[in-house]
Amino acid sequence: MTTLESTNRPRARSSEWKAIVILILLVPVLWSPPFLLRIFLYQPFNIPSGSMTPTLVVGDYVFAAKYAYGYGRYSFPFAPSWISGRFRAADPAYGDIVVFRSPKDTSVDYVKRVVGLPGDRIQMRQGQLFLNDQPVTRVALKDVSAGAACGGEVGAKVKRWRETMPNGASYVTYDCVDNGFVDNTEVYAVPPGHFFALGDNRDNSTDSRFKSAMGFIPMDNLVGKVTRIFWSLDSRGELRPERMGKVG
């Protein structure tokens, strides 16, 4: 017994000292400005699909402000699953572009626009968004050659609308086809603690209109608010400086 204890103890001390040394070495990294910036303030994301076209397109790189809505389970990498709620919680506003985890698949980050808050009634009628039984103001813009965003020919024309929410948030949406699959929907009643999100590419976005795929999103699943495009590359890998800046 004595021999066993005497041979084990130095190894235990050695392991403890190794752990302490590793922690000491990690301190400069853990407290470095870039690390703290990413963990607590802004997290970078790249846009892999066209669901938010024309606001965000494939090849855009954006910053999401993690402090905007408070900190919860999905604010930090490798956070334990038992964490619930949000510290310094704040709800998004109409028109905010948010990064979140879908309740149907919490392993993937999604980016959409908030159009419905708790207690709201949301519906699409002939492609127009209705909020609490009132049509959200929209103005037709000139068609553009953006068929690729709708899965069609590159030069095909696409309808555009400028949509303005009740709080003044204004943005452009694409209307790929008339009477699309979700251009006419049921009324969605947003439950407490949740929000309703749409893609700006209305006929080419899997969003809250699809109950089985996404549905209502819990506020606790928020990751951050998209604030700025900081880098953008086209399909050939060439820089698109005209796309960099704040997003609306």
Side-chain angles (χ1 to χ4, degrees):
M1 178 67 71
T2 304
T3 303
L4 182 62
E5 289 180 350
S6 64
T7 55
N8 281 347
R9 281 176 182 169
R11 291 177 185 174
R13 291 195 190 99
S14 176
S15 297
E16 291 172 1
W17 276 109
K18 285 180 180 178
I20 292 171
V21 170
I22 290 172
L23 286 174
I24 292 172
L25 292 175
L26 282 176
V27 165
V29 176
L30 295 177
W31 287 98
S32 64
F35 185 86
L36 293 175
L37 183 72
R38 188 183 189 283
I39 292 297
F40 295 105
L41 298 179
Y42 293 96
Q43 183 170 346
F45 294 91
N46 73 294
I47 305 301
S49 76
S51 69
M52 280 296 293
T53 306
T55 308
L56 301 175
V57 303
V58 176
D60 284 347
Y61 291 77
V62 302
F63 279 131
K66 303 179 75 171
Y67 57 84
Y69 310 122
Y71 300 92
R73 174 183 172 185
Y74 300 108
S75 300
F76 308 104
F78 313 114
S81 59
W82 50 262
I83 291 179
S84 62
R86 286 177 295 149
F87 173 69
R88 300 184 64 84
D91 290 347
Y94 294 126
D96 283 1
I97 303 174
V98 297
V99 177
F100 60 91
R101 300 287 179 90
S102 165
K104 309 296 183 181
D105 183 2
T106 57
S107 65
V108 178
D109 293 304
Y110 293 86
V111 58
K112 305 289 180 186
R113 191 181 295 277
V114 175
V115 300
L117 297 172
D120 285 339
R121 292 163 52 85
I122 306 295
Q123 187 179 25
M124 299 295 296
R125 301 182 194 173
Q126 298 182 340
Q128 184 169 12
L129 174 64
F130 277 68
L131 175 62
N132 296 322
D133 304 314
Q134 297 297 317
V136 172
T137 301
R138 67 173 185 171
V139 177
L141 302 176
K142 184 179 179 180
D143 295 356
V144 293
S145 299
C150 298
E153 296 180 2
V154 175
K157 294 291 186 179
V158 174
K159 291 181 180 179
R160 297 185 303 156
W161 300 90
R162 175 161 292 282
E163 197 169 82
T164 303
M165 298 296 288
N167 65 344
S170 183
Y171 45 88
V172 177
T173 66
Y174 274 4
D175 186 3
C176 294
V177 295
D178 294 330
N179 297 314
F181 183 69
V182 280
D183 276 353
N184 294 281
T185 70
E186 63 181 287
V187 176
Y188 304 92
V190 185
H194 292 70
F195 63 92
F196 194 95
L198 295 178
D200 288 351
N201 193 352
R202 292 290 164 80
D203 292 310
N204 197 16
S205 172
T206 300
D207 45 44
S208 292
R209 294 172 292 182
F210 297 88
K211 288 184 175 180
S212 61
M214 184 169 291
F216 305 115
I217 300 118
M219 295 288 186
D220 288 352
N221 286 34
L222 284 164
V223 175
K225 177 183 178 180
V226 175
T227 59
R228 180 178 295 273
I229 300 171
F230 69 88
W231 194 252
S232 185
L233 300 174
D234 63 18
S235 59
R236 295 168 295 182
E238 295 182 0
L239 184 65
R240 295 180 291 205
E242 73 280 359
R243 291 203 52 79
M244 291 189 284
K246 292 182 178 180
V247 299

